[in-house]
Amino acid sequence: MTTTVLRTDFERSVAAYWNTNQQDPVNLRLGEVDDLYHHHYGVGPYDPTVLEGPADTRDQRIIAELHRLESAQADLLLDHLGPLGGDDLVLDGGSGRGGTSIMANQRFGCEVDGVSISEYQVGFANDQAARRGVGDRVRFHFRNMLDTQLPPGSRQAVWTNETTMYVDLGDLYREFTRVLRFGGRYVCITGCANDVTGLRSKSVSKINEHYTCDIHPRSAYFTALADNGLVPINVVDLTAATIPYWQLRTMSPVATGIEEAFLTAYQEGSFHYLLIAADRI
Ligand code: GPP
Ligand code: MG
């Protein structure tokens, strides 16, 4: 069956961004630390001693530390996804270069299908799985997460690691509730705008412009989850926990220029870094 993966001009422009943004040192140099390539941010305090010591190895110490915080973020997401076993099938919605999917398979032994609208990312992630010898258990597909082509009720768990700002949440959770079995778990880590401070702030608008995304207000998540039979069991505000990552990134050789917007948005309270875990009923 042939389906159209990229359905709108917006989706085509997002795919073009991720297909052509291939030499991004902020993601490749971190990934090279241990061959886990992430497209999300970090949580937890950084070790300040990385800023001390010999100047010629300082950059590499900072890069390794940023990578450790990003992997800690993925580990935290997986803490909320389990328990899972080797017989379980899971979905990574917007799988990037595959880091979180590889970690899920390593931790649980589960089978993972990741979908991305970037053909470049799908190719990169499948190469990573093959190099690790798990290509039969961790598979990446050039597909749209709004239309995954996966069988109904086939998934014990689904996650989105900083990808929901690219889609309509109602469309997304309709698809996730279709592929999740009853009692299955959905985990989302996202940045969302604060309804309480009003409409989108300047710093949130800068982040949207930088990534060609559309950050949703916090309220939109809970409305769309409830509308689609996904019932939150945990909501964790990770805003304070992600600020050190952005502070260290500002001092790193791989800063991209978006760091100040994230720090301002989090510190002024117009933006939150949130984990939501929900059960499908
Ligand atoms: C990119 O991660 C993540 C997004 C584009 C989603 C936006 C996230 C929000 C919380 C608003 P990346 O690792 O590709 O970004 P960078 O290249 O800046 O490290
Ligand atoms: Mg990154």
Side-chain angles (χ1 to χ4, degrees):
M1 183 176 56
T2 308
T3 57
T4 308
V5 177
L6 302 175
R7 301 180 294 191
T8 63
D9 287 346
F10 175 74
E11 289 177 353
R12 279 185 283 276
S13 73
V14 171
Y17 175 89
W18 294 105
N19 283 335
T20 54
N21 189 28
Q22 296 174 13
Q23 299 310 320
D24 41 342
V26 66
N27 300 309
L28 291 178
R29 287 193 64 188
L30 270 62
E32 283 157 10
V33 170
D34 62 1
D35 275 346
L36 282 172
Y37 290 84
H38 298 307
H39 277 284
H40 55 77
Y41 311 125
V43 291
Y46 66 81
D47 174 359
T49 66
V50 299
L51 300 167
E52 301 158 9
D56 57 334
T57 52
R58 183 177 186 266
D59 284 355
Q60 197 50 40
R61 286 195 304 277
I62 295 175
I63 282 170
E65 185 64 357
L66 286 170
H67 183 63
R68 186 182 69 79
L69 300 181
E70 291 189 359
S71 290
Q73 188 265 26
D75 262 326
L76 179 67
L77 187 156
L78 298 178
D79 290 343
H80 290 264
L81 203 65
L84 295 167
D87 294 334
D88 287 319
L89 277 70
V90 304
L91 165 65
D92 181 352
S95 42
R97 284 185 166 108
T100 310
S101 287
I102 301 265
M103 286 173 65
N105 168 263
Q106 279 177 341
R107 191 194 293 198
F108 301 118
C110 57
E111 277 187 57
V112 187
D113 287 285
V115 299
S116 168
I117 61 171
S118 162
E119 282 180 282
Y120 163 77
Q121 286 188 334
V122 169
F124 187 103
N126 276 326
D127 283 350
Q128 290 301 314
R131 286 173 53 168
R132 289 173 177 271
V134 294
D136 56 333
R137 310 275 300 167
V138 185
R139 305 167 290 258
F140 299 96
H141 314 275
F142 174 49
R143 293 184 198 167
N144 195 313
M145 64 178 169
L146 302 179
D147 179 18
T148 62
Q149 313 285 309
L150 297 171
S154 61
R155 305 290 123 174
Q156 179 58 37
V158 175
W159 74 84
T160 49
N161 199 349
E162 296 183 18
T163 62
T164 46
M165 56 290 296
Y166 288 105
V167 294
D168 177 275
L169 293 176
D171 293 346
L172 182 70
Y173 295 152
R174 197 170 313 119
E175 174 65 357
F176 286 178
T177 219
R178 185 188 71 76
V179 300
L180 274 167
R181 70 174 66 139
F182 182 86
R185 171 63 52 90
Y186 167 61
V187 179
C188 171
I189 294 185
T190 191
C192 57
N194 187 2
D195 304 82
V196 178
T197 55
L199 290 177
R200 191 170 287 158
S201 67
K202 216 173 184 57
S203 46
V204 167
S205 297
K206 278 187 196 154
I207 298 168
N208 279 340
E209 172 63 25
H210 183 86
Y211 293 104
T212 322
C213 67
D214 186 12
I215 289 165
H216 303 293
R218 176 158 39 117
S219 58
Y221 283 89
F222 297 94
T223 304
L225 289 167
D227 285 349
N228 288 284
L230 293 165
V231 181
I233 176 75
N234 263 306
V235 179
V236 186
D237 181 0
L238 298 172
T239 306
T242 196
I243 286 176
Y245 166 86
W246 287 102
Q247 288 168 331
L248 184 61
R249 190 164 144 153
T250 303
M251 296 181 267
S252 80
V254 292
T256 62
I258 199 60
E259 290 75 17
E260 278 312 317
F262 274 93
L263 283 168
T264 302
Y266 287 138
Q267 284 165 344
E268 75 189 3
S270 66
F271 189 51
H272 305 296
Y273 197 48
L274 217 62
L275 180 148
I276 305 169
D279 291 328
R280 186 222 189 278
I281 59 163

